[in-house]
Amino acid sequence: QVQLVESGGGSVEAGDSLRLSCVASEATYCLGWFRQAPGKEREGVATISTGRGLTYYSDSVKGRFAISTDSYRLAVTLQMNSLKPEDTAMYYCASDSTGCSNLRPGGWKYWGQGTQVTVSS
């Protein structure tokens, strides 16, 4: 079973940047970031194929967020720029999917505990 530990959340103002990190207990081919705001369903933010370096983004973050992984396929980061209040959510790291391009939470096997991101206007 893969264990995932996120870090890097916090409270910032609109327009600021944050960098989230996630460390996995073993190498995996697919890693992703998801988020869930209060009263809303969990949604995909960005995913990456660690072997090929292919990245996938939701339309709401494309051009503002960047996902990357290390060469050992053990860590994934999410650089978040130009943050907006609507980006406020609990952010979760996930690994092992039926497909690395899958931005739907279903099909991802392992999840971290989450890290809170709060963006004030």
Side-chain angles (χ1 to χ4, degrees), residues 6 8 12 47 92:
E6 305 100 331
V12 298
T47 62
Y92 297 91

Side-chain angles (χ1 to χ4, degrees), residues 37-54:
K40 294 188 177 181
E41 294 185 353
R42 191 170 298 189
E43 63 176 359
V45 175
T47 62
I48 186 167
S49 167
T50 59
R52 301 177 66 185
L54 298 176

Side-chain angles (χ1 to χ4, degrees), residues 32-96:
W33 285 98
F34 295 77
R35 67 186 182 187
Q36 188 167 16
K40 294 188 177 181
E41 294 185 353
R42 191 170 298 189
E43 63 176 359
V45 175
T47 62
I48 186 167
S49 167
T50 59
R52 301 177 66 185
L54 298 176
T55 58
Y56 308 88
Y57 297 93
S58 67
D59 289 341
S60 61
V61 306
K62 199 171 295 183
R64 298 189 298 124
F65 291 10
I67 188 171
S68 60
T69 185
D70 67 343
S71 58
Y72 300 101
R73 309 201 315 267
L74 288 171
V76 61
T77 61
L78 184 69
Q79 178 66 43
M80 305 186 294
N81 300 323
S82 302
L83 283 162
K84 304 175 181 180
E86 50 263 45
D87 294 319
T88 295
M90 184 71 77
Y91 282 71
Y92 297 91
C93 178
S95 73
D96 289 27

Side-chain angles (χ1 to χ4, degrees), residues 1-5 22-28 73-75 95 110:
Q1 182 170 352
V2 178
Q3 295 182 345
L4 303 163
V5 179
C22 172
V23 177
S25 59
E26 58 186 77
T28 178
R73 309 201 315 267
L74 288 171
S95 73
Y110 301 111

Side-chain angles (χ1 to χ4, degrees), residues 7-39:
S7 63
S11 296
V12 298
E13 295 184 351
D16 287 349
S17 298
L18 271 178
R19 185 180 179 91
L20 304 183
S21 298
C22 172
V23 177
S25 59
E26 58 186 77
T28 178
Y29 287 103
C30 300
L31 286 165
W33 285 98
F34 295 77
R35 67 186 182 187
Q36 188 167 16

